[in-house]
Amino acid sequence: MVETQIPHGGNLEEARRLFPDAPEPWVDLSTGINPIAYPMPALPASSFERLPTPDAHADLEAAAAESYEATDAAGVVAAPGTQILISLLPHLRPRSKVSVLGPTYAEHAHAWRRAGHEVVDIVSPDDDHETDVLVIVNPNNPDGRVLQRRMLIDLASRLHRRGGWLVVDEAFADFDSGETMVSSLPNGTIVLRSFGKTYGLAGIRLGFAVAQPDIAGLVRAALGPWAVAGPAIEVGRKALRDRQWRVAAAEARANDAAHLDRLLQQAIGTTSMGTTLYRLIENPAAANLFTHLGRRGIWTRPFKDNPNRLRFGLPGSDEAWARLETALAEFASKVERAATSQREEGIA
C-alpha cells in the first residue's frame, strides 16, 4: 500500500515520487478540470505589454454577468482565481463564528481558521449553531451533493437578519447549474464561480465573486487595481460570451461522465457520484485501486480522511481513455482471481 498525503490534485511531481517506475506520459485524472480546453484565441501583444484598462476589466465582468445570468454586473467581481477569493473573504469580516458544511473542499475551513475565526464543521445545513457565516459548496466537492435553491435562500435570509453571510462556492456549477444562486441572489450572499475548471484553462487563474454591490465593493477594494492579468481578461471575455461552445462542452462532458461511470461500475461494482467534471467512488478497494492505477501511470485523487474514496477526473483523449479502460479491466480481473482463490481455499 502506498502512503498518501495529497491535499490537492494536479501534482504530477508527487505522482512521480510515489510511482517512480510508472510509464510516461501520465494520465492525470486527479483534478476536476475540463480536459478539452477552450481554444485559445490569438492575443494582442498589448495584453502582455500594457496594464489592463478599466474598460476591459469592466467588460470581463459584464461578460461574466451575462454568462452566469447575474442581474447586476456591478455585483460581479473578477479575481485571479477562486482560491484567492476563498483566502480573501475571511479578512473582510471581524472575528466571526463560521460553519462549513462538509465534508467538502478543505480550503474553505483552512482560510477562515487562518484568519482567526471560530470554525465549526457541520454535516447538515440545519446545524445552525447561531453562526455568522455559513459556507456551502454547491454542487459539493467531492461527492456532488446539491442543495436546492429554495433552501439556500431561506438560509441566506436567516443569516442576513443577524448580519451574517452565506458563502456558496459554485466552482462546478457551470455544467451542473440547476440550483445556482446567481440569478436570485439574496442579500448577504456571496457566490464564487470558477472559469478555469469549466474552460479547461486553469493556468489563466480567473474566477468571480457575485454578491450585492455593497459586499462586491468590499471584495473589489481588497483585491486592488489590476487584479486580473491582461491575457486572462482577453481570453475570459471571449470565452464567457461563447455560449455555443459551453453548451456543446456541457453535453460532451456529461457523456464522458456517464461513460466513466460505466467503466467504474464494471471494474469495481460501485455506483459513482459527483459532478459532470469528476466522478467519485466509495469502496473498500479504493486505496488498492489508487495504487494499481498509479503504477500504470494514471493519477487519481485519494482522500487521507476517507481512504474508501477515490475521485476521477475525465480523460481527455482516446489514448487516455484506452489506458484507463485497460487498467480498470486488469484490476477487475485481479479482484476476481483473488475471490476465486478464496472460494477454492474455502472448499478445500
Side-chain angles (χ1 to χ4, degrees):
M1 172 63 187
V2 176
E3 179 70 22
T4 58
Q5 296 186 24
I6 302 167
H8 300 291
N11 188 348
L12 289 182
E13 287 81 6
E14 181 69 4
R16 294 183 178 100
R17 185 187 71 79
L18 286 174
F19 303 105
D21 299 323
E24 297 271 357
W26 278 84
V27 174
D28 186 4
L29 306 182
S30 67
T31 70
I33 297 169
N34 189 345
I36 311 297
Y38 184 80
M40 280 287 290
L43 299 177
S46 61
S47 69
F48 295 91
E49 297 168 351
R50 300 178 62 84
L51 288 172
T53 67
D55 285 350
H57 189 98
D59 188 57
L60 169 66
E61 292 176 341
E66 295 166 17
S67 180
Y68 302 144
E69 300 183 352
T71 58
D72 186 356
V76 179
V77 183
T82 51
Q83 185 59 51
I84 292 295
L85 294 167
I86 290 170
S87 299
L88 176 67
L89 290 180
H91 297 280
L92 302 183
R93 287 187 63 94
R95 189 175 189 275
S96 302
K97 188 168 186 178
V98 180
S99 296
V100 179
L101 181 63
T104 193
Y105 183 53
E107 288 296 332
H108 286 286
H110 291 337
W112 288 93
R113 285 194 178 102
R114 283 195 301 266
H117 300 272
E118 179 188 352
V119 178
V120 178
D121 297 310
I122 61 174
V123 297
S124 168
D126 295 325
D127 297 338
D128 187 279
H129 299 295
E130 289 299 309
T131 193
D132 303 304
V133 178
L134 174 58
V135 180
I136 294 175
V137 181
N138 203 49
N140 191 46
N141 179 8
D143 60 13
R145 177 206 63 222
V146 175
L147 299 185
Q148 293 183 343
R149 184 189 300 110
R150 183 69 259 166
M151 173 188 288
L152 296 175
I153 291 173
D154 290 344
L155 289 169
S157 298
R158 186 192 313 166
L159 285 157
H160 181 64
R161 285 195 294 271
R162 55 177 182 253
W165 287 354
L166 173 65
V167 178
V168 184
D169 183 343
E170 295 186 355
F172 290 97
D174 280 4
F175 292 160
D176 299 83
S177 59
E179 300 299 330
T180 178
M181 292 283 283
V182 173
S183 60
S184 56
L185 194 69
N187 289 322
T189 300
I190 305 167
V191 178
L192 306 181
R193 296 294 285 255
S194 171
F195 175 86
K197 292 179 175 63
T198 300
Y199 293 89
L201 297 171
I204 288 289
R205 306 311 303 135
L206 182 60
F208 298 90
V210 186
Q212 296 296 335
D214 57 339
I215 297 177
L218 293 176
V219 176
R220 189 173 282 113
L223 286 168
W226 309 299
V228 179
I233 291 175
E234 293 297 321
V235 175
R237 60 185 181 172
K238 177 177 175 59
L240 287 163
R241 289 190 169 107
D242 192 344
R243 179 172 176 78
Q244 183 178 357
W245 182 90
R246 193 170 80 169
V247 169
E251 181 178 359
R253 298 296 79 75
N255 290 336
D256 289 343
H259 181 49
L260 179 56
D261 284 351
R262 289 191 292 271
L263 293 180
L264 293 171
Q265 175 70 34
Q266 292 166 6
I268 202 168
T270 297
T271 300
S272 306
M273 47 191 161
T275 71
T276 298
L277 287 176
Y278 62 80
R279 307 304 294 161
L280 178 78
I281 61 169
E282 190 159 354
N283 188 287
N288 289 334
L289 179 56
F290 169 77
T291 301
H292 172 87
L293 295 172
R295 287 171 176 162
R296 287 153 181 81
I298 300 172
W299 187 228
T300 53
R301 174 72 165 87
F303 295 85
K304 184 183 178 183
D305 60 347
N306 190 341
N308 289 340
R309 284 185 162 185
L310 190 63
R311 201 186 73 182
F312 294 73
L314 303 176
S317 67
D318 290 343
E319 179 185 2
W321 278 107
R323 284 179 62 183
L324 176 63
E325 187 166 357
T326 297
L328 289 174
E330 291 172 349
F331 185 79
S333 179
K334 183 190 301 186
V335 170
E336 178 57 31
R337 287 198 302 272
T340 299
S341 177
Q342 289 178 347
R343 287 194 297 270
E344 291 174 347
E345 290 176 359
I347 294 173

